Each structure stands twice: as C-alpha cells, then as structure tokens.
Amino acid sequence: MSSHPTSKAPSINPTFSANVPSTKNVSSTATITARTYYNSSDADTFYHAVWGGSDIHVGIYPSFPAACSIASASQNTVAHLASLINPLTPTTRVLDMGAGYGGAARYLARTCGCKVTCLNLSEVENERNRAMTREHGLQDLVEVVDGAFEEVPVADHGFDVVWSQDAFLHSGDRGAVVSEIDRVLVKKGGRVVFTDPMAAEGAEAEKLAPILKRLHLESLGSVGFYKREFEKRGFRDVGFEDLTEQMVVHYSRVLEELEGREEELKSKISDEYVRNMKVGLGHWIDGRRGGQLCWGVLQFRR
C-alpha cells in the first residue's frame, strides 16, 4: 500500500459505483509488480521527467523522428486514437484503463467535452493525474479511480468507449480484462480502442524471456489473442493498424533522452534504476528488431 495520501474528488460519473468491490483485492504477481513499480519514486520521476510528463505510452513519430519530442509523439498517438472513434461528444462516456498521468483523458475532455473515468493502479500516478487535471480546470469532466483491469470498480454497461494505451501487457489475466470491458460497455454501440506492446505472431518464448522476466509475466498478448477474446464475446473486429516500427523509434528516443540527461538525473533517480531501465529499453528494441514484437491500434465494436 502506498504511503501517499489519496484524496478522491466527488464522483462526476454515474457509472462509478462505491458499492462495487475494490480492485485492491486483485493480487496477481503481475498486478502487484506493476503497482509497486509505478508507485516507486524512481519510476514516477523517470516517467514524469523523461517519458513525456503527461503520457506513458509509445508515441507516433514523423518521418524525421529526431525533430519530434517524446511528449509530442505521445500526444500524436492520443490524437490519432481519438480520430478513429469519432464522433466523440459531450455525451460520450469514456473509460481509460491504465490511464497513467491522464494525458489522454484531459485531451478528450478538453477537445471533445467527454466525461472520462481514469482507471489506474498506481496511487502515485493518480495523485499527479488529479493535480494536473485540477490545474487544467477539467476536474468536472475527468474522474480518477484507483483500481486494476481485472476487477473494475464501476457499474455494468455505463460507458460508450473503452480506451487504453500500452497497459494491458501488465495484466496476468488478459481474458479477464476483456470480460470486464464486455461488462462495462453499453450493450449497443460500445466501442473499444487500444494499443498494447504484443508478441508478434510466431514469436519464440525464449526470445521474449528477457522482457517477460522483467515484467514478471508468463506471456504477452497478441493480435490474434485479442481478436479471439473479443469475438467470442460478440464484438466485431474493426481492424488492426500495424504501427510496429514506431516501437523501435520510440524506445530508442527514450533511451537516447535518458542517456543524454543521465548526469542531470543523478540526484533524482537512483543509479540502479537508470541501469535497469537502459537494459529494459534495450530488450524492447532488440525484441522488435528480432521480429518478436508488434504494436499498433486495435478496434472492436458491439
């Protein structure tokens, strides 16, 4: 349990239910690992200072990526996903699963007037999210809920859109995640849009082992896995947009930024964390270059 205080604003979304059991009973190794990691001071400082500040996901870069900041590329991804699920209106209710610092939620609230519920398991990130949301004057549109994907503390069929960016890989039971999405979406017209670092079709387990070991996971999801899981729950596959090459660009840019600012960060992030992060980023880069990983946008509809 984090020692950081949690100050929840009054619920702005009727889909949130205080009577739904808290996800803090969810205790898979993967969930515990992710929550502990993202609650750490080192991780919070790294993602806030290096990765982009408001977003913690893979960015979409232009043809000349060196001219694009990590933050701008991350915002490009958010804008791209939003463009795929138009129309988004003030009546649209969005659940962002694994919302991190809430950059996507604030974008949707600011540009479309949507009401967004941010679900995230790190109390530390959630406090930053709440603070940044208040700073932007969006607290009436964005709500932040502590919780995990496998047991979402919201009522049934209350959201029009489920949104997620590079978060489901942290789940130890992705089938349960899809079941929860099925439960919380409206029965007619519900939409799902998400990205996730995934195993490429035909990926070899031993070559994924360094990534899996670091994340305390037995596997990664795949495009085929997600298609099967959604289709057997009655969803229609809208398609997969393959943006895999952006993975190498993004992780290389993050590694370059980290190495370039290493001296500056010495007083803020432990040497051990920096060493481990550089190794971890290298694993993602090597995994993609070896054809073991893929990344892109998946969409499903009721």
Side-chain angles (χ1 to χ4, degrees):
M1 177 70 69
S2 170
S3 61
H4 291 69
T6 303
S7 54
K8 290 186 180 179
S11 176
I12 55 142
N13 196 318
T15 58
F16 175 73
S17 174
N19 297 320
V20 179
S22 169
T23 62
K24 291 183 181 180
N25 294 323
V26 176
S27 57
S28 72
T29 300
T31 300
I32 292 170
T33 298
R35 185 174 174 222
T36 301
Y37 172 75
Y38 285 109
N39 271 343
S40 71
S41 175
D42 279 342
D44 182 53
T45 302
F46 169 76
Y47 287 105
H48 188 68
V50 176
W51 199 282
S54 291
D55 302 284
I56 310 176
H57 52 75
V58 174
I60 295 178
Y61 294 79
S63 300
F64 301 98
C68 183
S69 70
I70 295 168
S72 294
S74 298
Q75 290 159 14
N76 290 343
T77 308
V78 173
H80 180 61
L81 265 64
S83 74
L84 297 175
I85 52 174
N86 276 328
L88 289 165
T89 72
T91 63
T92 306
R93 299 157 299 174
V94 180
L95 175 63
D96 184 352
M97 298 178 73
Y101 295 133
R106 287 188 294 278
Y107 175 89
L108 295 174
R110 183 175 63 251
T111 61
C112 308
C114 300
K115 289 187 175 180
V116 186
T117 296
C118 294
L119 176 77
N120 199 54
L121 54 71
S122 166
E123 294 90 346
V124 173
E125 289 180 350
N126 289 346
E127 282 304 296
R128 278 200 188 269
N129 186 349
R130 293 183 183 105
M132 287 190 283
T133 297
R134 288 192 297 269
E135 289 169 9
H136 286 83
L138 294 170
Q139 63 272 21
D140 291 338
L141 293 176
V142 177
E143 175 180 46
V144 184
V145 176
D146 299 335
F149 316 127
E150 299 88 351
E151 192 180 349
V152 183
V154 301
D156 296 354
H157 308 305
F159 292 93
D160 304 295
V161 175
V162 168
W163 169 297
S164 184
Q165 291 178 263
D166 304 345
F168 294 157
L169 78 160
H170 291 296
S171 174
D173 187 352
R174 296 180 196 94
V177 175
V178 178
S179 291
E180 282 294 83
I181 292 171
D182 182 33
R183 179 181 68 80
V184 303
L185 271 178
V186 292
K187 291 184 177 181
K188 184 175 181 180
R191 293 170 288 175
V192 184
V193 60
F194 69 96
T195 61
D196 206 35
M198 296 171 285
E201 298 301 327
E204 301 173 47
E206 62 270 21
K207 292 185 178 179
L208 292 175
I211 293 172
L212 298 175
K213 182 178 180 181
R214 179 174 166 79
L215 296 173
H216 293 262
L217 292 172
E218 295 181 0
S219 68
L220 292 174
S222 67
V223 174
F225 168 82
Y226 285 120
K227 287 186 175 185
R228 290 189 297 272
E229 290 297 314
F230 277 98
E231 288 172 358
K232 74 184 184 183
R233 291 167 177 82
F235 286 83
R236 177 168 60 89
D237 175 18
V238 179
F240 169 62
E241 182 181 8
D242 191 342
L243 298 170
T244 300
E245 291 312 311
Q246 294 288 345
M247 288 187 79
V248 171
V249 177
H250 182 79
Y251 288 119
S252 296
R253 286 285 287 109
V254 174
L255 180 57
E256 175 187 298
E257 182 81 4
L258 178 59
E259 291 176 335
R261 297 175 59 189
E262 201 163 340
E263 284 301 316
E264 168 202 337
L265 295 168
K266 274 188 176 296
S267 63
K268 302 173 184 177
I269 304 176
S270 71
D271 291 343
E272 180 183 12
Y273 182 91
V274 171
R275 285 194 303 272
N276 288 339
M277 177 55 69
K278 289 196 291 187
V279 170
L281 291 167
H283 289 331
W284 286 109
I285 294 166
D286 292 343
R288 171 50 210 150
R289 285 178 173 163
Q292 303 300 304
L293 298 170
C294 72
W295 181 80
V297 184
L298 295 103
Q299 295 184 75
F300 300 92
R301 288 178 181 261
R302 290 285 196 193

